[in-house]
Amino acid sequence: MNSYEAVIGLEVHVQLNTAAKIFCSCSAEFGAEANSHVCPVCMGFPGTLPVLNGAAVDKAVQVGLALGCEIQKFSIFDRKSYFYPDLPKAYQITQMFYPICLGGSLNIDTKSGSRRINLTRIHMEEDAGKLIHGEGESAAYSYVDFNRASVPLVEIVSEPDIRSAEEARLYLQKLRTILRYINVSDCNMEEGSLRCDANISIRPVGEAELGTKVEIKNMNSFRNVQHAIEYEIARQTEILSEGGHIRQQTRLWDNDRGITLAMRSKENAHDYRYFPDPDLFPLKLTDEKIERLKKTIPELPDSRKARFMQEYSLSAQDADLLVSEKDYADFYEDALKIYSSPKNIANWIMSELLRVVNQKGLSIFNAGVAPADIAQLVKLIESGAISGKQGKEVFAEAVETGKTPEAIVSEKGLSQLSDKGELYGIVQKVVKANPSEAERFKSGEEKLLGFFVGLVIKESRGKANPKLVNEILKETLK
Ligand SMILES: [Zn+2]
């Protein structure tokens, strides 16, 4: 069963987050009332003319620049004809022969090291409407919502460089991270602003020729992508192992049943009768425009990760987590500007803050504490003003109330007892009250130190600085 290798290429559709649709001025916003963002152009009325949205072009170029593509200064929009109720013009405007970007690549970090996945091309196109199938009494009907019709998309096509279901998931996650860094899409798979189709074939290990490929659709989460591809590799392996043949077809992932199902035999390109759209000029880009857009690309996750590891001595794992969202990395560096404690600030963000962010489903900048608050909190702990345990209380209170850590510490009288004289007094009292334990400690029963530390902290009502208590106890019980 292990003598086959998988050859996988992904086609990823990404909705660009422009205010307007790609060929008309209707809003491209997600989630509005059905058919409230429509006009004669995106409804495909006869006699209307598309006008290309420059903002969509800028974002497509930014995608290409962030992925290292060759931006094409000349590209053409084509019509792809097919009949389906979600497509009002009965053709989709896309780019077949001269796409806006060629080449490019992205790196994924696998267990066995970094791997480069090459891209074939990126082209621009318009989205189709959305079919909604009736249930219950309306089960005989299907409805169409044209709000999505003509929302701008880029389709990012990879080379068949991916070798496993896990690599496919890593590729998608990396792509999502990069696209979110450059703010061209929210890349929400559940809402459909990032959609993925996979072309999968298998071949005997060592064979150069490609096997018959099957296209898988309808995988709407990163986990489903991995499961669907795992399933499909196993299905094809079983067929070939038993001497059968793979049929070229499109299959749908059925998430409830955890299997792929045959949908249709794969169309060939000529079924779509592609030809240049006579209503749209060829798209020409100047060097100046490409240069201007290049300047808008921020530091991307790979280089930011390398810099975090070098500049702040973070582990690869910590750096990975902090650069996985641009907001996390920005928040982190904002906090460091106020108080430079790279390791501790990273720990507070990764353990406490991201837990709140994930629980509440908020962005890190809206979770209730600002970068300055985390900086202040870490400073309070490092200076010994409060204990780490008190820090957690202060953090929870800050998230809840929006007050600054300093304000909470002074309001609650939380400051840690670090006065050596006062601590010395408490230690004396505790040792005097427990003479037999003190004797046992002195004769070598060192584990009793914890017993005394606990009593001293209790006596101080939790305020004693444990580090100082330890020192003073060792001194006293010598
Ligand atoms: Zn419209």
Side-chain angles (χ1 to χ4, degrees):
M1 289 292 271
N2 287 325
S3 53
Y4 293 94
E5 73 168 353
V7 177
I8 303 162
L10 296 184
E11 293 170 5
V12 178
H13 287 90
V14 179
Q15 279 183 348
L16 299 175
N17 57 3
T18 52
K21 292 184 179 182
I22 185 169
F23 297 121
C24 63
S25 56
C26 290
S27 167
E29 193 194 352
F30 176 82
E33 190 193 339
N35 295 309
S36 60
H37 294 165
V38 293
C39 74
V41 177
C42 57
M43 295 283 283
F45 285 20
T48 58
L49 286 172
V51 177
L52 181 59
N53 178 351
V57 174
D58 288 1
K59 289 191 185 261
V61 172
Q62 286 171 313
V63 173
L65 290 169
L67 294 171
C69 306
E70 299 155 32
I71 309 299
Q72 304 301 296
K73 286 195 267 180
F74 178 90
S75 64
I76 287 184
F77 287 97
D78 300 295
R79 291 184 179 179
K80 176 184 184 178
S81 302
Y82 66 90
F83 291 100
Y84 206 64
D86 61 4
L87 197 66
K89 297 190 291 289
Y91 62 83
Q92 178 193 27
I93 303 177
T94 179
Q95 294 186 311
M96 175 65 181
F97 304 107
Y98 294 91
I100 193 165
C101 303
L102 291 174
S105 67
L106 66 76
N107 292 314
I108 55 172
D109 294 319
T110 70
K111 286 185 199 94
S112 47
S114 181
R115 282 242 299 130
R116 185 167 119 155
I117 308 297
N118 291 298
L119 305 181
T120 313
R121 56 186 276 163
I122 300 174
H123 59 259
M124 299 181 70
E125 60 187 28
E126 59 179 342
D127 210 341
K130 196 171 169 53
L131 284 182
I132 297 144
H133 302 291
E135 286 168 13
E137 279 179 23
S138 0
Y141 301 92
S142 285
Y143 303 86
V144 199
D145 179 3
F146 286 112
N147 284 351
R148 201 178 72 176
S150 277
V151 166
L153 296 177
V154 284
E155 179 173 344
I156 301 166
V157 183
S158 86
E159 289 286 291
D161 287 352
I162 298 165
R163 290 290 169 271
S164 71
E166 195 197 3
E167 285 188 6
R169 178 180 53 78
L170 290 170
Y171 169 90
L172 263 189
Q173 285 174 331
K174 188 59 164 292
L175 188 59
R176 174 183 186 273
T177 300
I178 293 172
L179 298 178
R180 286 173 60 87
Y181 261 65
I182 59 172
N183 187 29
V184 296
S185 175
D186 62 3
C187 295
N188 184 329
M189 283 194 88
E190 283 76 21
E191 290 181 359
S193 58
L194 185 148
R195 306 196 287 272
C196 172
D197 301 333
N199 287 302
I200 306 168
S201 62
I202 61 169
R203 64 185 173 194
V205 172
E207 178 87 59
E209 205 177 313
L210 294 171
T212 305
K213 73 178 177 187
V214 169
E215 184 178 16
I216 312 288
K217 290 179 174 290
N218 198 39
M219 306 168 286
N220 60 0
S221 73
F222 293 104
R223 213 177 42 178
N224 286 351
V225 169
Q226 182 161 352
H227 287 167
I229 294 175
E230 273 164 7
Y231 175 87
E232 185 57 25
I233 292 171
R235 188 188 71 88
Q236 293 186 19
T237 303
E238 193 181 324
I239 292 173
L240 289 192
S241 303
E242 288 168 357
H245 294 283
I246 308 293
R247 286 173 52 201
Q248 181 173 336
Q249 59 184 188
T250 298
R251 299 178 70 88
L252 279 185
W253 171 244
D254 182 331
N255 191 43
D256 294 334
R257 294 159 71 186
I259 56 174
T260 62
L261 296 167
M263 184 169 91
R264 58 172 183 242
S265 294
K266 181 71 183 153
E267 302 89 347
N268 286 311
H270 62 251
D271 296 335
Y272 292 123
R273 295 174 293 127
Y274 285 100
F275 69 95
D277 191 312
D279 289 341
L280 287 158
F281 287 110
L283 173 56
K284 291 179 182 166
L285 299 171
T286 61
D287 288 324
E288 291 73 31
K289 185 181 180 109
I290 296 170
E291 278 309 310
R292 177 175 66 72
L293 289 166
K294 224 177 238 174
K295 293 200 179 85
T296 67
I297 306 294
E299 185 184 24
L300 293 171
D302 282 355
S303 49
R304 204 165 193 186
K305 176 185 169 187
R307 184 168 65 77
F308 276 18
M309 290 171 67
Q310 217 228 334
E311 216 168 288
Y312 306 132
S313 306
L314 296 182
S315 67
Q317 204 185 353
D318 290 355
D320 250 335
L321 178 55
L322 286 173
V323 306
S324 66
E325 291 281 352
K326 183 171 181 292
D327 272 2
Y328 298 174
D330 288 347
F331 189 101
Y332 175 61
E333 293 207 284
D334 285 356
L336 285 186
K337 275 181 212 146
I338 293 161
Y339 182 64
S340 179
S341 178
K343 186 69 196 148
N344 284 338
I345 286 181
N347 284 342
W348 272 89
I349 291 175
M350 292 186 300
S351 58
E352 299 300 316
L353 183 53
L354 288 186
R355 187 172 45 77
V356 172
V357 166
N358 292 329
Q359 264 170 12
K360 299 193 173 175
L362 294 167
S363 91
I364 192 167
F365 282 100
N366 291 322
V369 292
D373 298 327
I374 294 289
Q376 203 179 72
L377 185 62
V378 170
K379 195 176 173 185
L380 285 166
I381 297 166
E382 285 184 2
S383 69
I386 57 171
S387 66
K389 195 172 159 238
Q390 288 174 323
K392 288 194 180 175
E393 275 173 51
V394 172
F395 174 81
E397 178 94 10
V399 168
E400 202 61 41
T401 62
K403 290 177 186 163
T404 67
E406 271 172 3
I408 295 165
V409 166
S410 75
E411 256 174 44
K412 298 196 137 190
L414 272 181
S415 58
Q416 183 167 248
L417 181 52
S418 296
D419 183 301
K420 279 196 180 174
E422 205 171 324
L423 285 176
Y424 188 78
I426 300 175
V427 167
Q428 294 301 324
K429 190 175 158 195
V430 166
V431 170
K432 211 175 264 177
N434 298 278
S436 63
E437 282 82 0
E439 276 314 310
R440 279 163 59 202
F441 181 85
K442 283 180 191 169
S443 51
E445 229 179 293
E446 282 182 13
K447 62 176 189 212
L448 279 170
L449 184 64
F451 163 78
F452 282 109
V453 172
L455 285 180
V456 172
I457 288 179
K458 197 174 163 200
E459 182 70 26
S460 72
R461 284 193 224 106
K463 286 187 181 179
N465 178 332
K467 206 173 138 219
L468 283 179
V469 171
N470 262 287
E471 281 169 21
I472 295 170
L473 270 169
K474 280 185 190 159
E475 195 70 17
T476 308
L477 293 171
K478 240 191 231 166

